[in-house]
Structure formats: C-alpha cells, structure tokens
Amino acid sequence: MAYAYKLANFEGPLDLLLHLISKAKIEIQDIFVSQITEQYLQYMEGCEFLDLESASDFLQMAATLVYIKSRALLPEKRRGEEVDENGLTPEEQLVARLNEYKRFKMVSEELKELESRARGSRYKLPEEILAGAEQETVFTNSSVDALMAAYLKVLAKVKRLEQKPESVVIYRDHFSVKKQMRVILARLTIKSRVCFEELLSEAPSREELAVTFLSLLELLHAEKVSIAQKAAFGEILIEKRGSK
Amino acid sequence: MRDAELMGKIENILFAAGDSMGIGELAAFLGKDEAELTALLEEEIVRREREDSGLVIKRFEDRVQLATREEYAEMLFSLFGESSEEELTRAMLETLSIIAYKQPVTRGEIEELRGVNTSYVLGVLLEKNLIHEAGRKEALGRPILYATSEGFLRHFGLSSLEELPPLPQEA
C-alpha cells in the first residue's frame, strides 16, 4: 500500500525515473551504470493496488529497464544491431525521452508561477442583458392586488396537492407473454404464415401491442418461429419453424 | 494623442461585454481602421498599467478584455474569497506545456512524451476551455490535433504565445 501511495505522487514512469536520478545525484545518461533500475523495481513492488491504467504505464517502463539491463549482458556485437528508425539503441531512446520529458517538466513549473500571478486578475461574466434581451418577462396591466390574488391561488393549489396525493389505480395485466405466445403458436397451426397485425385484436391497446411483440421476440429466441420483414416499418411475416 | 471619447466608448463596451472582444469587431463597429485601433489600444493598455487607473485592459492575441488590477488581488481575495478559476494539477500543467510548445499536437504524441495515458487530462482541459481541437492530422487514423485557446492565454496572463517562457535547451 505504501508503494501505491508513493507512486501516486508521480506523473508517470518518466517522472519517477527523473526523481530517482536526481536523488542519486547522477546525470540522465549515466542511468544504466547506476542502481536506478533496481530502485525503480523496488518502487514497483506491491503496486497491484494502483489502477490498471497507470499500473500498465509503470510496468511497461519496468519491462524496458529490465530489457536494457539484460542487453548489457550480451556481447557488444549482438547489441548494436537493434536500432529504431532514427538509429537509436533502446538505451539512447530512453535517455532521449527522459531529456525531452525533463524540458517540459521544467517549463511546466514556470507555467505554474505564471498561473499564480495571473490568478490575481479577475474578469466578469457577460451582462445578462446582452444574453437574453428578448426573453425578459414584462408584466403589463397588472396591479399588486392581481399579483396577490395569483399568488394566493398558487398557494391554495400547492396545499391541495400536498393534502391529497392523487390516487392511482393499477389494473391487473390483461395480457401476458406466456399466454400470447400460446395464441401465436395456436394461430400458426391453423395457418402456416401470418402477419403481425393478424395476431392483434381490432383495436389493440398499447399493452396488447407490446406484449404480443415481446411474445414474438420470445418465440424467435426459442427458435420456434422465423420472421421476415421486407422493409423498415413494413409488414412482419411470421412462419413456424420446421413447418416446411 | 489619446482619444478620450473613443477610449471611453471602448471601456463601456468591454464592461458590458464582460467577455473578450475582437479588436477587428470593435474597429468595424466604431468605424476605425483595425491597425490604427490596435495601436491606440496598445498605448491605452500601457497607460493603464502605468498610471493608477482602476481597471486594466488585457490583450489576448487580437482580442481585448477588461480585468481587475493584479495589485488588488489580495483585497479582492479578502472581500470575495478565492477566484472561481481553479489552480491546475501537475498533470494538466505538463500536458498544457507540451501542447503550448508543440501545437498542434495529437494525444498520441503527448502520451509518447509524458509516458502516461492522457485522455482524462485532455478532457478536463477541453472542458476548462484551455485547449481546443484544431483539425485532424493527416496520419493513420486521422487523430485529433489539439492547440491552446484564448482561455490558456488568460489563465497564464499572456498576451500571445510569443510571451511563453523559452523551452529549456536539450541537455
């Protein structure tokens, strides 16, 4: 846990490396002839408490460091072969990245100072008159009495609403998916192919429509029927599976 | 010579606007030549800084805005408390400095430099209006390019990007 807390103080693996380098009082290019890799790995121990995202950034750097360390064991001839598009070895790449990162880290500290100075200036928000001149509410032909009457009316309404919460009657469902599935299957034993509208009563309620549609999806899922639709919003044709 | 009437008009416009106004916009409205008005405003900005005038005019590239004097920062703080503008975190400052010096720049390029995922930070900076999207890079995946905005200049008290401190030399 202690390590996770420590890692949270760094903006990333490069930041941690720069910290270790400055603590060891060495130059960036001397990183590979120092104990920095070991110290970095020590920091990484027990960091499973970190969130995955930043943990992967730190782990990637750990892998790079260990890889570079292992390269040092190889004979020099074999080592030289591996360069990137700029002709840099992994060691040179890392040193270049650290140098580049350090420049921006330094300049961001200067920005921090500019920020605290600039915080002394305050600005005001745009005038509201400019923003919504047309939406301004203007009362005409009104008096204090009229306003009072309107206010009392609102008060009375609020009181009424508070006293009697509107009662709501919940009816039992007329349709169930289970029942409607049986209806559809029964219909399909009589007729091999029906369209969706045929399944509904003459003036279907929203409930009937929804439940019938759900039942159809349920049957489709159970692979009891197959459906076809020629165009969007077009007629839905339903066919019994295995009826052919 | 200072045109007191013209400056009075501009001060009133800037006060009512609150936000920054484009110098070109002001010139067109007041029937002035833009270059001429820019020069006049430059003089006025210096005059206000030097003399003990109440509010100052801040310039952000080709826009101007009325602001309180930095000398009165403490007085305003004791009267109204902290400014609504929050201080930025280190991650935001790092990301902003990369964007400021390398703009327009993609998220990938920023992350390559910082060595960490930066998508959250970019979201916050966009929300705070410190950066804006500046088109797409003609590269694989056409990634979004980011650049600093006027809010960036205001936040750091800069008139233009040229006033940024020089980037330290490579070691």
Side-chain angles (χ1 to χ4, degrees):
Chain A
M1 249 337 231
Y3 286 113
Y5 167 74
K6 276 187 193 164
L7 281 177
N9 288 334
F10 297 99
E11 283 306 327
L14 293 170
D15 197 21
L16 172 57
L17 278 179
L18 283 183
H19 167 78
L20 293 173
I21 287 166
S22 79
K23 232 177 72 180
K25 297 199 172 71
I26 57 165
E27 295 290 321
I28 290 177
Q29 53 267 31
D30 297 332
I31 174 173
F32 305 116
V33 290
S34 67
Q35 297 298 307
I36 299 292
T37 297
E38 288 74 12
Q39 290 169 9
Y40 183 93
L41 294 176
Q42 271 171 32
Y43 259 92
M44 288 292 293
E45 270 171 41
C47 76
E48 59 230 76
F49 299 102
L50 273 175
D51 64 291
L52 263 181
E53 194 119 7
S54 66
S56 64
D57 293 328
F58 280 98
L59 273 172
Q60 195 192 2
M61 180 57 73
T64 306
L65 287 170
V66 171
Y67 174 64
I68 288 174
K69 199 96 192 167
S70 70
R71 268 168 54 90
L73 301 173
L74 292 174
E76 205 144 329
K77 256 191 201 165
R78 298 270 313 274
R79 239 192 294 163
E81 287 164 10
E82 203 179 330
V83 288
D84 70 354
E85 63 266 31
N86 298 320
L88 295 178
T89 63
E91 292 84 0
E92 288 165 335
Q93 279 174 44
L94 185 59
V95 167
R97 282 185 69 192
L98 280 167
N99 273 319
E100 185 76 347
Y101 176 72
K102 194 179 176 187
R103 293 168 74 205
F104 285 97
K105 192 176 136 90
M106 279 161 74
V107 90
S108 74
E109 279 153 21
E110 285 188 64
L111 283 184
K112 175 108 207 134
E113 280 170 39
L114 288 178
E115 177 189 42
S116 42
R117 205 168 341 130
R119 273 163 59 83
S121 295
R122 299 197 186 202
Y123 304 86
K124 75 184 247 311
L125 292 173
E127 245 355 274
E128 276 180 47
I129 312 168
L130 296 179
E134 290 98 41
Q135 283 121 36
E136 207 176 341
T137 314
V138 179
F139 293 102
T140 50
N141 293 332
S142 63
S143 65
V144 176
D145 289 338
L147 192 63
M148 192 62 193
Y151 179 65
L152 288 174
K153 239 186 198 166
V154 173
L155 267 190
K157 195 174 170 189
V158 168
K159 229 178 192 172
R160 249 197 341 266
L161 284 175
E162 276 174 356
Q163 274 171 355
K164 260 194 269 164
E166 229 176 290
S167 57
V168 177
V169 182
I170 301 172
Y171 297 99
R172 183 192 293 249
D173 288 346
H174 294 293
F175 293 88
S176 76
V177 171
K178 217 169 151 190
K179 228 165 83 188
Q180 210 61 5
M181 275 165 66
R182 276 207 301 271
V183 170
I184 297 173
L185 284 178
R187 195 66 69 87
L188 282 170
T189 53
I190 305 164
K191 213 172 148 192
S192 66
R193 195 191 270 178
V194 290
C195 76
F196 186 68
E197 269 127 68
E198 283 178 63
L199 298 171
L200 302 167
S201 58
E202 236 164 68
S205 64
R206 188 174 296 188
E207 185 198 349
E208 182 184 353
L209 198 66
V211 171
T212 310
F213 190 68
L214 278 178
S215 316
L216 185 61
L217 292 180
E218 216 33 74
L219 287 170
L220 190 69
H221 179 67
E223 299 189 339
K224 295 223 164 112
V225 299
S226 60
I227 60 172
Q229 191 178 27
K230 283 217 177 93
F233 307 111
E235 204 176 45
I236 304 172
L237 282 173
I238 306 148
E239 214 168 293
K240 199 169 181 179
R241 273 278 181 105
S243 61
K244 276 171 206 165
Chain B
M1 208 201 75
R2 181 171 182 262
D3 187 339
E5 196 197 333
L6 179 68
M7 284 308 150
K9 279 184 186 167
I10 291 174
E11 186 176 17
N12 276 273
I13 293 172
L14 290 179
F15 174 82
D19 264 339
S20 66
M21 291 275 289
I23 297 176
E25 223 178 317
L26 284 171
F29 178 74
L30 295 165
K32 295 275 165 194
D33 177 63
E34 188 176 339
E36 201 183 311
L37 189 68
T38 306
L40 283 173
L41 275 168
E42 247 342 290
E43 269 174 46
E44 182 71 7
I45 288 169
V46 174
R47 190 190 69 80
R48 280 169 177 268
E49 288 286 353
R50 197 180 51 226
E51 290 171 27
D52 205 10
S53 71
L55 295 168
V56 293
I57 295 176
K58 295 261 177 186
R59 185 169 167 189
F60 307 113
E61 303 281 5
D62 54 354
R63 301 180 73 80
V64 282
Q65 186 170 13
L66 220 49
T68 62
R69 288 187 87 89
E70 279 168 19
E71 290 97 306
Y72 296 137
E74 288 202 15
M75 178 194 78
L76 292 178
F77 176 75
S78 61
L79 188 57
F80 299 113
E82 196 72 53
S83 147
S84 58
E85 200 110 334
E86 281 167 45
E87 271 185 63
L88 304 178
T89 64
R90 263 187 62 199
M92 292 178 199
L93 284 168
E94 259 182 45
T95 308
L96 264 182
S97 40
I98 293 168
I99 297 172
Y101 290 91
K102 298 218 152 193
Q103 59 185 311
V105 65
T106 66
R107 179 165 71 107
E109 289 161 350
I110 299 167
E111 289 179 349
E112 169 67 23
L113 227 158
R114 293 189 65 219
V116 282
N117 184 296
T118 303
S119 50
Y120 171 74
V121 177
L122 280 175
V124 177
L125 294 176
L126 281 169
E127 205 176 290
K128 285 182 177 286
N129 241 329
L130 293 166
I131 58 169
H132 61 89
E133 291 182 7
R136 284 168 182 275
K137 187 170 183 162
E138 289 305 331
L140 199 65
R142 303 209 344 118
I144 297 168
L145 287 163
Y146 296 97
T148 56
S149 59
E150 187 192 329
F152 170 82
L153 296 176
R154 187 163 27 244
H155 191 87
F156 294 99
L158 305 167
S159 299
S160 75
L161 289 172
E162 278 141 41
E163 288 187 5
L164 277 171
L167 193 61
Q169 285 298 303
E170 266 177 79

